[in-house]
């Protein structure tokens, strides 16, 4: 990941996660110089574990954006994690509804350090064994969607703190991951038989529970039950068409995204119209964000952020669906904007007829912006995949790796499967 393409991709993911963390920790944004400075010296074990888990991805991605250069013990990410957390906790001193805690700083720093150590361990495994890239399916653009679902699971768990029924929305996100992971297993791992369906299903459940840490803290039984359902759905989807003959080109991304689309659409509609059993009301809404910015209703703000984060997934999925056309980002961005505009319009209609906060024109515009960001991450992912495959452009089916290229046979095979097929164009 120290290559230019890898650094850009990691930086894009890091910026996204960093934005989510800062926004989540500073809601409801009602800063006041006259606010009482609430300082808490202790804290619950569940809160400490959640603080560690939140900063692990930040430390992991930060480490992937640069070479360690002698920082063997991860001192730099530890220091930066402590510094970022200290700044957040200082800002929280001016939020009447928040409590600052030195324990939060320590646990956040620990999370960043653990993430950096995990990144170093992974890089040490990947460098001498390029085949591990294929074993982890890191060259599949679909896996990027699985990563983007993690912060969305965070937000979904936070908004379900006072309403256990909202854990059903987290389950929908888990089912999206099950569809993607099941398709990856069926088309990548099943033909070789190195990993069983049961083992892969356990990994899918672990992915869900890591992302759903806030929900796991508040509603452990519901989160664990959802994890079991995600494991079961992954197992079922992994066996779908198991006895059918494998397709010659094994291009399964478009088909997978087609199955994913209705679940994502249902999730977006439920987000805008939660609870779904509430009666319809007269059309209402606003142009800006007066109903959220500076509001004391933290839950309402988190739900608005969750809607925005969901459109990052929409943007990535749309760009991935059209990836075979070898479009440049400017061309793909137009398609992403059109799809995001249509999806946002449907969501706003549902919100405007729901007794909640109603529609917001500015939120609709922001939805298109974050969708574009998601589409941009896909293009960075595609560029890095080509770098992993050792390709100047899209490799030809009969093209063999040159001497000195770190491409394993498995990666070379998947170059013919996953990389766009029009040779010489980079998009």
């Amino acid at each position: 990941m120290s290559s230019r393409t890898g650094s850009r991709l990691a930086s894009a993911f890091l910026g996204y996660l960093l934005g989510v963390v800062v926004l989540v920790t500073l809601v409801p944004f009602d800063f006041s110089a006259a606010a009482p400075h609430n300082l808490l010296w202790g804290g619950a074990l569940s809160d400490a574990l959640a603080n560690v888990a939140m900063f692990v991805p930040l430390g992991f991605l930060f480490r992937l954006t640069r070479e360690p250069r002698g920082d063997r013990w991860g001192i730099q990410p530890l220091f930066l994690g402590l510094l970022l957390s200290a700044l957040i906790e200082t800002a929280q001193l001016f939020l009447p509804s928040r409590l600052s805690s030195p324990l939060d700083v320590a646990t956040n720093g620990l999370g960043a350090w653990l993430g950096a150590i995990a990144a170093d361990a992974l890089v040490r495994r990947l460098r001498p064994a390029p085949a591990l890239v294929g074993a982890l399916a890191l060259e599949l653009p679909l896996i990027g969607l699985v990563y983007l679902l993690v912060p969305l699971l965070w937000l979904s768990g936070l908004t379900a703190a006072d309403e256990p029924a909202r854990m059903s929305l987290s389950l929908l996100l888990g089912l999206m991951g099950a569809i993607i992971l099941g398709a990856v297993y069926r088309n990548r791992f099943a033909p070789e038989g190195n990993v069983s369906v049961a083992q892969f299903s356990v990994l899918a459940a672990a992915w869900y529970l890591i992302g759903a840490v806030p929900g796991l803290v508040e509603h452990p039984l519901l989160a664990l039950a959802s994890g079991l359902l995600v494991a079961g759905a992954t197992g079922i989807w992994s066996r779908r068409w198991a006895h059918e003959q494998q397709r010659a080109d094994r291009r399964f991304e478009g088909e997978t995204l087609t199955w994913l689309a209705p679940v994502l659409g249902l999730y977006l509609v439920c987000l805008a119209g939660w609870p779904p059993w509430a009666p319809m009301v007269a059309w209402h809404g606003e142009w800006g964000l007066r109903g959220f910015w500076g509001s004391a209703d933290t839950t309402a703000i988190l739900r608005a952020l969750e809607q925005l984060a969901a459109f990052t997934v929409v943007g990535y999925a749309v760009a991935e669906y059209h990836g075979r056309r070898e479009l440049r980002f400017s061309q793909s961005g137009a398609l992403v904007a059109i799809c995001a505009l249509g999806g946002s319009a449907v969501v706003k209609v549902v919100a405007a007829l729901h007794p909640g906060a109603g529609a917001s024109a500015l939120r609709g515009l922001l939805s298109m912006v974050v969708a574009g960001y998601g589409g941009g991450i896909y293009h960075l992912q595609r560029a890095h995949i080509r770098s992993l495959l050792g390709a100047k452009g899209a490799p030809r089916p009969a093209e063999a790796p040159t001497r000195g290229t770190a491409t394993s046979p498995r990666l070379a095979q998947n170059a013919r499967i996953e990389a766009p097929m029009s040779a010489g164009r980079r998009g």
Side-chain angles (χ1 to χ4, degrees):
M1 293 295 282
S2 60
S3 66
R4 187 174 69 171
T5 57
S7 180
R8 286 178 176 177
L9 177 61
S11 297
F13 274 112
L14 177 62
Y16 176 60
L17 288 178
L18 185 61
V20 171
V21 167
V22 171
L23 290 173
V24 164
T25 53
L26 294 182
V27 293
F29 315 118
D30 54 343
F31 294 99
S32 173
H37 301 319
N38 300 316
L39 192 63
L40 182 66
W41 291 98
L45 177 61
S46 58
D47 291 337
L49 293 176
N51 286 331
V52 171
M54 182 174 289
F55 269 62
V56 166
L58 295 180
F60 185 92
L61 289 171
F62 173 79
R63 198 65 156 182
L64 294 183
T65 61
R66 62 199 69 239
E67 287 283 359
R69 293 183 180 177
D71 186 17
R72 177 181 178 185
W73 301 105
I75 302 301
Q76 187 179 21
L78 172 62
F79 173 76
L80 292 176
L82 291 172
L83 178 61
L84 173 63
S85 181
L87 292 174
I88 291 174
E89 296 299 317
T90 301
Q92 287 181 345
L93 289 173
F94 301 94
L95 293 171
S97 58
R98 303 301 293 258
L99 296 173
S100 297
S101 172
L103 180 61
D104 290 351
V105 176
T107 51
N108 289 155
L110 175 61
W113 179 76
L114 290 175
I117 295 301
D120 289 346
L122 180 62
V123 168
R124 282 195 298 269
R125 293 291 304 276
L126 289 177
R127 281 178 175 166
L132 188 59
V133 176
L136 296 175
L138 296 178
E139 83 282 15
L140 298 180
L142 277 173
I143 294 298
L145 275 175
V146 177
Y147 300 150
L148 284 179
L149 287 173
V150 171
L152 201 51
L153 280 168
W154 288 353
L155 289 165
S156 184
L158 290 170
T159 59
D162 300 325
E163 195 173 354
R166 280 186 67 91
M167 286 295 292
S168 59
L169 298 182
S170 296
L171 179 58
L172 285 177
L173 295 174
L175 293 179
M176 292 183 215
I179 291 173
I180 297 170
L181 294 173
V184 169
Y185 179 86
R186 189 172 64 250
N187 291 274
R188 279 290 312 277
F189 295 100
E192 299 185 6
N194 295 327
V195 181
S196 69
V197 172
Q199 291 172 325
F200 200 77
S201 298
V202 170
L203 291 175
W207 159 80
Y208 173 80
L209 292 175
I210 290 173
V213 164
L216 184 63
V217 170
E218 295 293 337
H219 310 292
L221 293 180
L222 287 175
L224 290 173
S226 297
L228 290 175
L229 290 174
V230 169
T234 303
I236 293 173
W237 206 253
S238 296
R239 295 181 183 276
R240 181 171 175 263
W241 303 314
H243 301 294
E244 292 185 8
Q245 185 177 2
Q246 289 289 325
R247 287 164 292 186
D249 61 2
R250 293 172 62 196
R251 294 182 181 177
F252 59 94
E253 313 99 309
E255 180 186 54
T256 303
L257 292 170
T258 299
W259 282 102
L260 184 75
V263 184
L264 179 56
L266 176 61
Y267 171 74
L268 290 171
V269 170
C270 288
L271 270 183
W274 188 268
W277 52 82
M280 295 178 61
V281 298
W283 181 282
H284 64 295
E286 61 180 357
W287 289 102
L289 297 172
R290 291 179 300 171
F292 297 97
W293 189 266
S295 169
D297 190 352
T298 301
T299 301
I301 298 176
L302 288 174
R303 291 179 181 179
L305 292 176
E306 185 180 0
Q307 289 185 33
L308 291 177
F311 274 89
T312 307
V313 175
V314 171
Y316 189 103
V318 171
E320 162 77 350
Y321 187 80
H322 295 283
R324 293 295 179 189
R325 296 171 58 183
E326 276 292 271
L327 300 175
R328 296 184 180 275
F329 178 63
S330 57
Q331 299 168 315
S332 176
L335 291 173
V336 169
I338 293 172
C339 293
L341 178 62
S344 178
V346 173
V347 167
K348 298 316 163 193
V349 169
V350 173
L353 298 176
H354 192 268
S360 168
L362 182 55
R363 264 193 297 160
L365 179 61
L366 290 175
S367 297
M368 296 176 62
V369 172
V370 296
Y373 191 86
I377 290 179
Y378 166 74
H379 280 267
L380 293 175
Q381 175 85 341
R382 190 174 69 179
H384 187 52
I385 287 168
R386 288 170 171 165
S387 177
L388 285 174
L389 296 173
K392 294 295 184 181
R396 296 178 178 86
E399 193 174 42
T402 58
R403 290 187 61 186
T405 301
T407 303
S408 69
R410 184 167 194 175
L411 285 177
Q413 178 190 38
N414 282 284
R416 300 191 296 271
I417 299 168
E418 297 301 331
M421 301 302 294
S422 56
R425 297 184 58 188
R426 292 193 61 114

